[in-house]
Amino acid sequence: MSRARTALLGALALIAAGSGAASAVPADVGTNAVAAVPCTVDYKVQNQWDTGFTAAVTVTNNGAAKSSWSVKWAYAGNQKVTNYWNTKLTQSGTAVTANNETYNGTLATGGSVSFGFNGSYSGSNALPATFTLDGVTCNVDDGSGGGGGGGGTDPSGKVDNPYAGAKVYVNPEWSAKAAAETGGSRISNQPTGVWLDRIAAINGSSGSMGLRAHLDAALAQKGTGEEVVQLVVYDLPGRDCAALASNGEIGATEIDKYKTQFIDPIAAILSDSKYASLRIVTTIEIDSLPNLVTNTGSRATATPACDTMLANGNYVKGVGYALAKLGAIPNVYNYLDAGHHGWLGWDDNFAPAATIFKQAATAEGATVNDVQGFITNTANYSALKENNFTINDTVNGTSVRQSKWVDWNRYVDELSFAQAFRTQLVSVGFNSGIGMLIDTSRNGWGGTARPAGPGATTSVDTYVDGGRYDRRIHIGNWCNQSGAGLGERPQAAPAAGIDAYVWMKPPGESDGSSTAIANDEGKGFDRMCDPTYTGNARNGNSLSGALPNAPLSGHWFSAQFQELMKNAYPAL
């Protein structure tokens, strides 16, 4: 994905009224100067390979408000558009016309709209020189952040997509555990996330590697190429207010402790020039901000702990501080956790979540430029793509949205959610070049239980339940799910708007213990990890679906690892 840049990147051609003269407009122009530009078009090549490419276009209208729009450009080469999204796109020779869809025709003064497409080419893939919006010439993007498969850089020096053209760090501790399992050598060379989930993890404890040890090992793996290191930064005050298995060590009011004893030491290590050649991806505070949306106030799913964290603001402050401190390091790429489709896909949650993410990204000195992108499905089980039904299907006149499983959600899988949520995030002020990560470590849902086609059309429920890959009892179930399998293997730029599929949650590490286990890690016992638990409002009062005999969260769970391999999709 192209790294975030301002709408007026570099030298933009401004057609002066009546004179035809072009003048340079710097990227930090004021509001009045921006208003003088009739429109700007930010065209980015997000990913490029031998014969094809993916491009994203963001159009900003500084003229009168519009109820429909048409953007046109021409290619200098033999580029051909092959498919597109969020627009109706046609091509005649080298000339391309992108018109609005029915749902995104409104373009306010100062408003923006984004769309994208895939294309083919041979030879060079030069950026178009001129764009028009409804016949009016817009700026010309100089392309200095051009994608070329992620090799370009933005003004901060960061590459567009850190995963493009790079190896990803294989954690030797996880690799050894995986290889020791029967059949585990088939995946023990896969890259996984390194979890910094307590202060002691920074320096290492109980014989485990600390942060510097992992970075040193990454340098050794790197060789002469590029290397990504994936870190999960996860120790907020009052952490995980809606669950107990992953409760943290820092109290709800101890924001200063979080800053000085957790984030500051991590930032100091990552700032060491010794590690400047690594691309360090940080996944920031999973589950935190989504909890402020769904588990507070008058909702049936609210918890007192989440109400406390909303009131004291320490989730927002902590995330903002982490983004600011880590985002200031040139080779660090921050990805904010964005839940998953079965959490934020409902209308009541979708837009409010984007708004609170923007609030956190502009708190404690952070700006949206400190956010490379977002990650969905971290340590969760939501299917990547449901192929046997869509959100637009109906059965005997009843919408799939009305099925018990979908329950009025607008999304049925992670890929559609991540792509749509990216558009929503851009609409609230995040940079148009943000990319999404999807954790596919445990969402394969293969094996003998994987449906080969849609369910019976007896009712909308039989249709959805018979065809869905995700075999959980309820989409709200999250702990050590029975029947789950490894998902897509980690890969860069697998789909439009997606920087990478990743295994951020190391397969085989428990989500939480099945019964209460005394420990010094601050981890409580959550009934959602108990296979006998009959549920609560957050999972529709359903059985938890959890595997039995699970250890503490983060500890090795051999039975689960074996099941994940058995049910892998694609199969091992």
Side-chain angles (χ1 to χ4, degrees), residues 275-319:
Y275 307 121
S277 65
L278 297 171
R279 299 176 181 178
I280 301 171
V281 165
T282 56
T283 298
I284 304 296
E285 295 296 351
I286 62 173
D287 295 346
S288 59
L289 298 177
N291 273 319
L292 298 185
V293 177
T294 61
N295 297 320
T296 56
S298 60
R299 293 175 182 245
T301 54
T303 71
C306 289
D307 283 333
T308 294
M309 299 318 299
L310 179 65
N312 70 23
N314 283 343
Y315 277 6
V316 168
K317 294 173 187 175
V319 168

Side-chain angles (χ1 to χ4, degrees), residues 184-459:
S185 60
R186 294 174 293 175
I187 63 166
S188 59
N189 64 341
Q190 292 290 349
T192 55
V194 174
W195 286 56
L196 303 175
D197 58 357
R198 52 191 180 128
I199 293 168
I202 300 172
N203 292 322
S205 61
S206 303
S208 63
M209 296 168 66
L211 178 55
R212 281 193 179 275
H214 282 295
L215 297 175
D216 289 340
L219 286 175
Q221 290 182 20
K222 179 179 184 296
T224 58
E226 300 294 344
E227 177 98 357
V228 170
V229 179
Q230 302 176 124
L231 306 177
V232 177
V233 178
Y234 183 47
D235 203 20
L236 271 181
R239 188 179 75 191
D240 216 349
C241 57
L244 299 175
S246 47
N247 282 169
E249 63 190 349
I250 300 178
T253 62
E254 296 181 304
I255 185 67
D256 290 337
K257 181 177 181 180
Y258 174 77
K259 292 178 178 179
T260 60
Q261 296 186 38
F262 186 64
I263 295 300
D264 288 355
I266 292 173
I269 293 171
L270 299 187
S271 298
D272 190 331
S273 60
K274 178 181 181 181
Y275 307 121
S277 65
L278 297 171
R279 299 176 181 178
I280 301 171
V281 165
T282 56
T283 298
I284 304 296
E285 295 296 351
I286 62 173
D287 295 346
S288 59
L289 298 177
N291 273 319
L292 298 185
V293 177
T294 61
N295 297 320
T296 56
S298 60
R299 293 175 182 245
T301 54
T303 71
C306 289
D307 283 333
T308 294
M309 299 318 299
L310 179 65
N312 70 23
N314 283 343
Y315 277 6
V316 168
K317 294 173 187 175
V319 168
Y321 187 81
L323 290 173
K325 290 286 288 190
L326 302 177
I329 304 168
N331 58 316
V332 170
Y333 300 82
N334 290 321
Y335 288 81
L336 258 177
D337 182 75
H340 54 86
H341 88 276
W343 193 348
L344 300 183
W346 281 272
D347 293 344
D348 288 350
N349 302 337
F350 193 78
T355 299
I356 203 162
F357 294 159
K358 173 70 179 302
Q359 180 186 352
T362 51
E364 299 291 306
T367 75
V368 293
N369 294 321
D370 293 314
V371 180
Q372 175 77 15
F374 290 77
I375 182 169
T376 75
N377 206 44
T378 310
N380 209 266
Y381 299 85
S382 294
L384 179 65
K385 183 75 177 85
E386 293 282 8
N387 294 317
N388 293 329
F389 61 94
T390 76
I391 200 67
N392 298 315
D393 291 352
T394 60
V395 177
N396 302 325
T398 303
S399 167
V400 157
R401 289 191 69 200
Q402 294 174 258
S403 67
K404 184 177 180 180
W405 173 257
V406 178
D407 191 27
W408 296 103
N409 201 314
R410 286 200 181 273
Y411 304 95
V412 300
D413 52 37
E414 279 308 292
L415 183 56
S416 63
F417 168 72
Q419 291 172 325
F421 197 53
R422 179 184 174 278
T423 299
Q424 180 67 27
L425 291 160
V426 170
S427 77
V428 300
F430 284 98
N431 292 312
S432 61
I434 57 173
M436 307 297 286
L437 305 177
I438 301 177
D439 189 347
T440 59
S441 60
R442 304 183 301 179
N443 70 348
W445 294 105
T448 57
R450 185 177 178 88
T457 55
T458 311
S459 69

Side-chain angles (χ1 to χ4, degrees), residues 492-506:
I498 310 300
D499 278 358
Y501 295 153
V502 298
W503 283 6
M504 202 61 70
K505 172 72 173 182

Side-chain angles (χ1 to χ4, degrees), residues 476-561:
N477 289 351
W478 54 266
C479 193
N480 300 325
Q481 289 299 285
S482 176
L486 301 168
E488 289 285 347
R489 313 308 179 249
Q491 54 187 289
I498 310 300
D499 278 358
Y501 295 153
V502 298
W503 283 6
M504 202 61 70
K505 172 72 173 182
E509 292 189 1
S510 173
D511 295 318
S513 59
S514 301
T515 57
I517 299 175
N519 66 92
D520 60 358
E521 301 176 30
K523 296 170 181 176
F525 168 53
D526 195 297
R527 290 296 306 280
M528 287 296 290
C529 301
D530 175 358
T532 69
Y533 184 48
T534 55
N536 54 43
R538 290 189 293 282
N539 82 329
N541 296 299
S542 304
L543 282 167
S544 69
L547 291 168
N549 305 315
L552 289 172
S553 62
H555 290 223
W556 191 255
F557 190 7
S558 177
Q560 183 192 50
F561 185 79

